[in-house]
Structure formats: structure tokens, C-alpha cells
């Protein structure tokens, strides 16, 4: 018997977001455990909420908890085109990518899962501009979103199956995803936000849904300034 978990695969992303997939699996696994262990007295699952987080030392960057709060908005299911669904899990994490030389790139992220869609929101604090990355990403299209350079591209999740009998886990390609990378500022001086969608049924997510979601969610992220 196995239990499957899907996380976004970022192998094609030049900003090194492959490591985020590992953090996402960990966060998602914890969210699934909490979801399975916590029920209301009537036997139904409680509404998903972002986990409480003890405030740390201010860094001037957005945290995974703040990204989760921005993503888990009351109209999220409606923006996804599935208004009858309720969020099953919600989580945020403050991961980073380690580079040679000892430098770490902060990469906070958040994820909300529904029956149909899973959506993630992440930030990457590096010095690399978004413009020009189109040639390095699969099925990529250069866009302008909210007045900032952006790239719309394809990837796949990673399928990880854990054996409940304690045997070795198995992994492989998962379902297709669509992701939108938006520059942190209009001058594209480095850093970006990613909004990513994938579907439980394996169908390719609708770009119109992804763009609508990004245009609503990104301006609510702490520190986002319109026109800058």
C-alpha cells in the first residue's frame, strides 16, 4: 500500500527553485497529517487555516506565513472557478536555497490544496532579473503582469509514493503544472514571485485562471507596492 504526495518540480527554473519542491513536500506531508488527525465533532473536516507562526526577527522580506494569509483569501475557490469547493489544507514555510560559497537565497512559500486545484505562492530573493529567462524555461511566454516583467511557463510536479509498510519510497513525474513568474519590482532589478497551479485530475491548468489569480493575490502580499 502506498500514499502519494505531489509537489512542484522546479528543475527547469534557473533560479534554483528545485529545492523548494523538497520543502513543499515536507509542508504538504505535515498538512495532510493534520488534516487526517483533526475533525469536528460531527465527523466533518474543519476549514483549512494557515498555521500559527511565532514572529521571528524582522528581515524586510515576506514570510511563508504571510504568503499563506495572502493566498488563503475568502474568494480563492471562486477565483479558481470551483466556488463549491473548500480548502483542504493550507501551509507556509520559510525555505531557502544554499549556493556555493555559503550564500543562501531566501525562498518563502505557501500552498493551499482543494479537491480540483493545488495552488502555491512563493517568493525568491535573488539578484536575477525575470526578463530573459524565457529561453531557459519550458513552453515559456514573456508577459507583463501588473506592470512588471513576467514569464508564463510549464513544468511538472514530482510524484512521491510512501509505502505504509515501511518500504522504500518511490518517485517519478507527476501532473503538469503552469506557473507565472513575476518580477519583484517594475525595474526587474532581481527577485520574483511565483504563482503555480496544478490539477488533481492531471489536466493542464487554464492560463486564464492562473493570470486572474495572480492579478488578485500578488497586490495583497505584504511589501508589494503598485507601480514600483
Amino acid at each position: 500500500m502506498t500514499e502519494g504526495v505531489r509537489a512542484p518540480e522546479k528543475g527547469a527554473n534557473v533560479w534554483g527553485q528545485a529545492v523548494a519542491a523538497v520543502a513543499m513536500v515536507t509542508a504538504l506531508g505535515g498538512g495532510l497529517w493534520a488534516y487526517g488527525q483533526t475533525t469536528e465533532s460531527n465527523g466533518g473536516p474543519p476549514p483549512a487555516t494557515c498555521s500559527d507562526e511565532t514572529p521571528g526577527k524582522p528581515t524586510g522580506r515576506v514570510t511563508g506565513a504571510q504568503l499563506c494569509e495572502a493566498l488563503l483569501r475568502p474568494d480563492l475557490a471562486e477565483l479558481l472557478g470551483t466556488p463549491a469547493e473548500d480548502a483542504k489544507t493550507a501551509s507556509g514555510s520559510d525555505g531557502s536555497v544554499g549556493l556555493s560559497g555559503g550564500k543562501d537565497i531566501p525562498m518563502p512559500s505557501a500552498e493551499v490544496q482543494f479537491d480540483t486545484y493545488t495552488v502555491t505562492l512563493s517568493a525568491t530573493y535573488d539578484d536575477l532579473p525575470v526578463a530573459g529567462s524565457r529561453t531557459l524555461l519550458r513552453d515559456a511566454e514573456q508577459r507583463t503582469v501588473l506592470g512588471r516583467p513576467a514569464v508564463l511557463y510549464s513544468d511538472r510536479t514530482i510524484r512521491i509514493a510512501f509505502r505504509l509498510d515501511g518500504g522504500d519510497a518511490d518517485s517519478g513525474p507527476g501532473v503538469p503544472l503552469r506557473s507565472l513568474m513575476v518580477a519583484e519590482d517594475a525595474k526587474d532589478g532581481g527577485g520574483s514571485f511565483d504563482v503555480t497551479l496544478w490539477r488533481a485530475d492531471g489536466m493542464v491548468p487554464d492560463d486564464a485562471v492562473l493570470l486572474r489569480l495572480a492579478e488578485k493575490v500578488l497586490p495583497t502580499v505584504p511589501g508589494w507596492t503598485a507601480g514600483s
Side-chain angles (χ1 to χ4, degrees), residues 79-183:
L79 290 173
L80 292 170
T82 56
E85 295 184 3
D86 294 321
K88 297 165 60 178
T89 64
S91 61
S93 64
D94 292 317
S96 63
V97 175
L99 302 180
S100 58
K103 181 180 180 181
D104 286 341
I105 296 178
M107 292 181 57
S109 61
E111 177 181 290
V112 178
Q113 182 185 25
F114 292 84
D115 285 332
T116 300
Y117 283 105
T118 297
V119 54
T120 68
L121 173 63
S122 62
T124 304
Y125 292 95
D126 55 18
D127 298 323
L128 301 173
V130 169
S133 64
R134 183 175 65 84
T135 58
L136 302 172
L137 300 170
R138 189 169 64 188
D139 299 330
E141 305 171 26
Q142 201 78 39
R143 297 290 185 100
T144 299
V145 175
L146 299 169
R148 307 182 185 198
V151 175
L152 185 66
Y153 65 96
S154 297
D155 212 323
R156 298 191 75 88
T157 64
I158 300 172
R159 176 189 56 81
I160 303 177
F162 299 98
R163 295 188 59 87
L164 300 183
D165 61 4
D168 293 338
D170 180 40
S171 63
V175 298
L177 62 80
R178 290 291 280 169
S179 188
L180 181 70
M181 182 195 302
V182 182

Side-chain angles (χ1 to χ4, degrees), residues 30-39 45-46 87-89:
L32 288 172
W33 182 88
Y35 178 73
Q37 294 293 322
T38 307
T39 58
K88 297 165 60 178
T89 64

